Amino acid sequence: NDMTFLALILSGLYEPDEKYRSIKCLIHPIGRKSLVKSEIIDYVADMNLILSYYNLIDNYNDEKAILSKSLADSIKEDVNQICERYPRQVNSMMDALAKLEEAEHCKEENLSLVANFSGMMVEEIFAYYDDDIWSEDLREIGFYIGKFVYLMDAYEDINRDIKKQNYNPLVYSDMSDKNCFNVNPHPIPAISASTQSSYHAILPLPRNSNPQP
């Protein structure tokens, strides 16, 4: 999960105060589960909620899914509060989302361009602070993760999108047949060498090498 990954990176970099406790989980009721709470975890949870909200809205717009609309309405008040707390991230996300929606409306055929807009949605979320020693590295990592997730979603959804006549950039490329990925994986953009360097610089985080029991 990309948000779990973000929580680990930010927690390792900024080392917030953390509180651990044991809880009963409704979804996994057998035994008790460890829970960690911190400023970073709260931030990532907020970002996850707002991404979920816009995903629900997108599902409703694409397929008129009433359940998605109902779920979106149920968290709308919380989303509004998040927008007030994190205007930088939300404004960047909204700008990228508008560009993505326009590209989808115009049935943009440039696969990389459309995926870039998804990357732009995620990059500012990864930058916990606007301008510090890690912010640009984190934005770059977030950009390529967002781009990769969009491409993987397009790949997973292509058969359904063709059937329902939903927009999918792979339909307009020579990769509309899933079998092509078995012999030609190169169309999925690799993370750039500079981003790999960022990973190598950030990911060896001693804080997360020995997690709390």
Side-chain angles (χ1 to χ4, degrees):
N1 183 288
D2 50 347
M3 291 295 104
T4 303
F5 176 66
L6 175 60
L8 290 172
I9 283 187
L10 295 183
S11 296
L13 288 175
Y14 298 112
E15 300 186 335
D17 291 334
E18 295 178 340
K19 296 181 179 179
Y20 292 85
R21 62 191 177 95
S22 179
I23 64 167
K24 277 284 188 178
C25 177
L26 292 176
I27 300 176
H28 305 95
I30 300 177
R32 300 184 69 84
K33 307 299 178 183
S34 296
L35 174 72
V36 59
K37 185 173 178 62
S38 72
E39 174 186 329
I40 293 295
I41 298 295
D42 288 345
Y43 168 77
V44 174
D46 284 344
M47 295 298 103
N48 195 42
L49 186 65
I50 199 167
L51 285 172
S52 298
Y53 173 79
Y54 286 113
N55 183 57
L56 290 168
I57 293 297
D58 185 59
N59 288 342
Y60 175 71
N61 291 336
D62 284 349
E63 303 179 15
K64 302 304 177 189
I66 301 301
L67 178 58
S68 293
K69 180 65 164 57
S70 297
L71 290 172
D73 289 342
S74 71
I75 61 175
K76 180 67 182 296
E77 185 175 342
D78 291 325
V79 168
N80 288 339
Q81 293 175 8
I82 294 171
C83 291
E84 293 178 2
R85 284 198 296 271
Y86 304 105
R88 170 176 59 85
Q89 290 89 332
V90 172
N91 289 338
S92 177
M93 189 187 310
M94 293 300 295
D95 181 60
L97 183 61
K99 292 176 180 177
L100 180 59
E101 289 177 346
E102 177 63 21
E104 292 179 346
H105 177 73
C106 297
K107 296 185 174 9
E108 174 61 55
E109 298 181 13
N110 187 323
L111 177 63
S112 183
L113 175 64
V114 180
N116 282 348
F117 296 141
S118 180
M120 290 164 58
M121 286 183 63
V122 178
E123 65 180 353
E124 203 65 31
I125 291 174
F126 269 62
Y128 185 58
Y129 294 108
D130 186 22
D131 186 17
D132 72 357
I133 188 172
W134 302 111
S135 58
E136 289 308 308
D137 286 330
L138 289 169
R139 283 188 178 95
E140 188 172 13
I141 292 171
F143 173 81
Y144 282 102
I145 286 179
K147 185 170 183 174
F148 177 77
V149 168
Y150 183 87
L151 293 168
M152 291 298 95
D153 284 345
Y155 169 72
E156 288 296 325
D157 295 343
I158 188 168
N159 291 334
R160 186 190 68 178
D161 289 339
I162 291 173
K163 181 178 180 180
K164 295 189 175 184
Q165 297 184 323
N166 291 334
Y167 171 80
N168 187 315
L170 290 178
V171 174
Y172 301 97
S173 73
D174 59 358
M175 295 180 289
S176 57
D177 182 356
K178 278 190 175 183
N179 291 328
C180 76
F181 288 91
N182 295 330
V183 295
N184 184 17
H186 302 295
I188 299 299
I191 295 175
S192 68
S194 60
T195 304
Q196 292 183 44
S197 297
S198 298
Y199 274 110
H200 294 155
I202 292 175
L203 290 182
L205 301 171
R207 178 170 186 154
N208 292 320
S209 62
N210 295 298
Q212 294 279 341

